[in-house]
Amino acid sequence: MKTPRAARKVALPSLETTSLRKGQEFTSKVWAKHTSRVTGPDSYSSVITRIPLGRTHFNHVACSTAMQVMTEPNNRTATLFLPLEGSMSIMVEGKAYRASPGHPMFLPHRTAMEFTATPIECLLIEIPATALMAELRSHGALGDSLEA
């Protein structure tokens, strides 16, 4: 008779709040420092689950209202945004981008951005900049502009 498998661990939210201040403190600590404000009619609530996968982090973010966010550059990680519901209009160095279900957005490290988002559910994958740069370098795919 086989021994039964141990129950799987379920990730608990790293943050669950209705306080914009607490949400901003948490996200400024784990991602880039930023300012944010509610732009929608609904009250703010946010649930963020962060799961470390080695040096990479997998994140699930659910925010109940439309927001405007301005970030400083994040020097530690590049980020892949994968919206499941809702969308983000993103400005990076004067260029407009949009992330929505089926339309992901990759943000390199050392890049500040400003974005507006509808109420959103989004997966974020944070890739350590040093690991990404080493991998690109090993494939000969590293341009001078990325290393500057």
Side-chain angles (χ1 to χ4, degrees):
M1 179 179 224
K2 287 187 173 182
T3 306
R5 260 197 252 182
R8 293 180 189 219
K9 292 182 181 179
V10 176
L12 298 175
S14 305
L15 173 77
E16 191 167 359
T17 189
T18 56
S19 165
L20 181 61
R21 180 186 58 77
K22 285 182 182 177
Q24 187 168 309
E25 286 173 0
F26 177 82
T27 55
S28 286
K29 188 183 335 175
V30 298
W31 296 320
K33 290 186 180 180
H34 66 277
T35 58
S36 55
R37 68 181 182 90
V38 171
T39 59
D42 299 322
S43 57
Y44 173 83
S45 70
S46 183
V47 178
I48 299 172
T49 304
R50 281 178 59 78
I51 302 169
L53 302 170
R55 292 176 38 216
T56 299
H57 280 84
F58 177 84
N59 303 272
H60 177 265
V61 177
C63 186
S64 66
T65 191
M67 300 283 297
Q68 180 179 28
V69 179
M70 291 185 296
T71 74
E72 293 180 4
N74 180 338
N75 293 320
R76 299 173 306 209
T77 60
T79 306
L80 178 61
F81 296 89
L82 300 158
L84 303 173
E85 291 184 21
S87 64
M88 300 169 67
S89 296
I90 304 164
M91 290 294 291
V92 177
E93 298 176 352
K95 295 180 184 173
Y97 300 92
R98 185 167 178 80
S100 60
H103 300 283
M105 167 76 181
F106 180 77
L107 186 70
H109 73 294
R110 291 192 297 225
T111 307
M113 72 172 169
E114 180 177 336
F115 69 86
T116 56
T118 65
I120 196 164
E121 180 179 8
C122 188
L123 301 177
L124 285 81
I125 301 172
E126 299 169 67
I127 305 160
T130 53
L132 179 60
M133 300 302 276
E135 187 68 19
L136 289 171
R137 194 175 292 109
S138 75
H139 293 284
L142 190 61
D144 292 337
S145 63
L146 289 174
E147 286 192 285

